[in-house]
Amino acid sequence: MGGRQIQAETRGPGRPREERVTRVVLDAVLSLVTEQGMDAVTMDAVATRAEVSKPAIYRRWPTKQDLILAAAESRVGPVSVADLGDFRAELHALLTARLEVYRLPGTDRLLAELMSAAAKAGTARGAYATYSARVTAQTRVILQRGIERGDVRADVDVAAASTLVAAPLVFRLLGEQEPLDGRFVDEVVDLVARAVAATPAHPAQP
């Protein structure tokens, strides 16, 4: 028992250190991407910026792609939205959370560089697709809940509708280079809700 207690006490402080290393490394990647672009992200540059050893980085992320995706997910990752009993309310909560992240300094550059890297990834594109699937998972949950409640059409293509939800804010930010605000979120919520809303049952004709 004593041995196990000593082992636990020795291991205890390791977790905060592991978490600190993870945080400073991912922060270093985000800084390099937003300041200089994806080409600036090398293991040497990240190690120097984060002030950690390269072996410490490689133990967690064996490839540059793993590292970049982990950093991207630390900024733009999955969002959890509680069951609010209404599709429109849940969609608004989801897009408001995205809005807050997209308005952070450097997120526009991060997203642009991430998409560029995905386009150049060749056979490794699957890793980017997997990341995107994780990021949009909650949208699919919200749509499925709406279908089960009856406020979203049962015949809605959930995958296509998820893309419809994800695209407007990103394109507004990167393609149109227009500012994002709550009013734009309200408009997107209204448009998407109209597109996927279940048709109210018509009363029987006399």
Side-chain angles (χ1 to χ4, degrees):
M1 181 181 294
R4 285 197 298 273
Q5 287 177 338
I6 292 172
Q7 185 178 29
E9 290 167 1
T10 302
R11 188 171 59 243
R15 184 171 296 277
R17 182 180 183 281
E18 292 290 311
E19 293 173 352
R20 186 196 70 79
V21 171
T22 297
R23 185 179 66 253
V24 296
V25 169
L26 297 183
D27 285 348
V29 174
L30 292 173
S31 297
L32 288 167
V33 171
T34 56
E35 292 169 10
Q36 304 174 47
M38 203 68 77
D39 289 342
V41 181
T42 65
M43 293 302 190
D44 285 325
V46 173
T48 299
R49 178 68 65 96
E51 298 183 340
V52 301
S53 68
K54 284 202 296 183
I57 298 174
Y58 279 114
R59 279 198 300 271
R60 294 164 176 79
W61 306 282
T63 68
K64 175 180 173 179
Q65 182 186 63
D66 294 331
L67 181 57
I68 289 170
L69 288 173
E73 193 158 345
S74 74
R75 171 67 66 88
V76 185
V79 173
S80 179
V81 176
D83 187 341
L84 302 176
D86 176 73
F87 171 73
R88 183 185 288 263
E90 293 175 12
L91 180 60
H92 195 278
L94 174 72
L95 291 182
T96 298
R98 289 286 180 230
L99 172 68
E100 293 174 358
V101 172
Y102 290 167
R103 293 171 71 178
L104 292 175
T107 301
D108 54 350
R109 179 71 179 270
L110 171 66
L111 290 173
E113 292 284 350
L114 190 66
M115 290 181 181
S116 176
K120 299 174 183 176
T123 58
R125 288 182 184 179
Y128 293 92
T130 300
Y131 162 70
S132 295
R134 288 197 301 271
V135 169
T136 58
Q138 187 63 46
T139 306
R140 294 190 293 277
V141 169
I142 289 173
L143 286 160
Q144 194 60 49
R145 282 201 299 239
I147 291 172
E148 293 168 1
R149 280 195 302 260
D151 53 3
V152 173
R153 295 197 326 269
D155 64 343
V156 164
D157 184 323
V158 171
S162 296
T163 300
L164 180 64
V165 171
L169 269 67
V170 175
F171 187 74
R172 177 84 162 190
L173 181 66
L174 302 183
E176 298 176 338
Q177 297 189 342
E178 293 289 340
L180 295 174
D181 54 28
R183 182 176 179 180
F184 184 70
V185 166
D186 292 343
E187 290 291 338
V188 172
V189 168
D190 186 59
L191 290 169
V192 173
R194 287 171 182 266
V196 304
T199 303
H202 294 289
Q205 294 298 322

